[in-house]
Amino acid sequence: MPGPTPQPGADNRLQVSRAEDAVLVQVIGLGNMFLASTLHGLVESELKAGFCNFVVDLKYCTGMDSTFMGTFIGLSNQVKQKYGWFCLVNVSDENQRLLKMLGVLHMVSVHEGKVPHVEGKTSTLFPTTDPYVRQKQIHSAHRNLMDADPENVKRFGPFIQALEAEMADVPIILPPNDADETSQGPCR
C-alpha cells in the first residue's frame, strides 16, 4: 500500500542564519510558489525585528519559478524602503538566465563576491502550506514581474486576471490597527 502523496516541493527549504547586521538565507532545492511565501514571511518578520540587510544564497537552488523570482522584486523594494540591502549570491548560469528573461536582474542586485560565512544557529524553514497565503504571494509576485518588464504583461496578464477573479470570492481580513509598520525600530 503506497504512503501519503508528498507535498509538492517538500524537499525544498530555506536555511537561515543571522549575523550582527544581516540575514543569510540559503535556498535549498527548487525556489517555487510554495517556498516564495515562506521567504516573504521570513523577510517581513526580520524587518520587524530590525534586520534590514539580506543575502539570498542560490548555490543549492536547483531552479526557480516565476512566483519565486517575482517575490525577489517585492522583497528588494521593501528592504530598500527601510534603507537596507537585498542581494542574490551564487547565482548559477541557468538561474541567471531565468532572472534576466523576466527582467528581475534590473530590479534585484546580484553580488559576485564571496558569501559571508555565519557561525552559530541556523534554522530551517519549509514551504508554506496555507493556500490563501500562497495565492496572495503568487498574485503579488506576478504583479511585480509585470511592473519589471512590459513583456511580462503578455506572459502573465491573462493569468493575473483569472487569479484576481478567483480571489474576488475570498473575503479579505484586515490586520488590527496596532499593526502599524511605522512603529518599527531602526535597522541593526
Side-chain angles (χ1 to χ4, degrees):
M1 178 182 221
T5 305
Q7 184 79 325
D11 293 335
N12 306 326
R13 62 193 181 279
L14 303 176
Q15 292 292 127
V16 183
S17 304
R18 290 161 195 85
E20 284 184 26
D21 65 345
V23 177
L24 175 62
V25 182
Q26 285 187 313
V27 180
I28 312 294
L30 183 64
N32 60 17
M33 66 180 175
F34 298 98
L35 202 54
S37 298
T38 303
L39 178 62
H40 185 265
L42 167 71
V43 172
E44 282 194 336
S45 172
E46 295 297 330
L47 283 170
K48 287 178 183 174
F51 286 94
C52 295
N53 301 317
F54 298 85
V55 177
V56 179
D57 185 352
L58 299 178
K59 183 176 184 175
Y60 302 107
C61 179
T62 58
M64 298 178 289
D65 70 8
S66 56
T67 301
F68 201 71
M69 291 185 281
T71 298
F72 288 155
I73 295 171
L75 294 176
S76 181
N77 290 338
Q78 266 186 285
V79 168
K80 286 176 186 173
Q81 289 176 357
K82 299 290 184 184
Y83 304 103
W85 45 263
F86 182 95
C87 70
L88 307 176
V89 296
N90 292 320
V91 182
S92 70
D93 290 342
E94 177 60 16
N95 283 338
Q96 185 120 9
R97 184 189 70 76
L98 293 170
L99 292 164
K100 184 176 183 180
M101 180 179 73
L102 294 183
V104 177
L105 290 181
H106 300 294
M107 311 288 287
V108 179
S109 298
V110 174
H111 180 68
E112 307 230 355
K114 191 172 178 171
V115 180
H117 178 70
V118 180
E119 294 288 334
K121 186 177 179 186
T122 299
S123 56
T124 303
L125 302 176
F126 293 96
T128 303
T129 57
D130 184 329
Y132 179 68
V133 170
R134 187 172 53 244
Q135 189 177 43
K136 282 180 28 181
Q137 188 60 40
I138 291 168
H139 180 264
S140 173
H142 285 85
R143 279 276 174 209
N144 292 337
L145 289 170
M146 291 188 334
D147 290 344
D149 187 338
E151 286 296 311
N152 290 337
V153 175
K154 295 176 199 170
R155 287 182 179 114
F156 303 119
F159 170 71
I160 285 294
Q161 288 175 339
L163 186 60
E164 287 174 348
E166 185 178 317
M167 291 173 70
D169 296 333
V170 178
I172 297 174
I173 301 170
L174 298 174
N177 288 336
D178 63 345
D180 183 12
E181 293 182 20
T182 59
S183 63
Q184 299 173 18
C187 294
R188 291 183 185 202

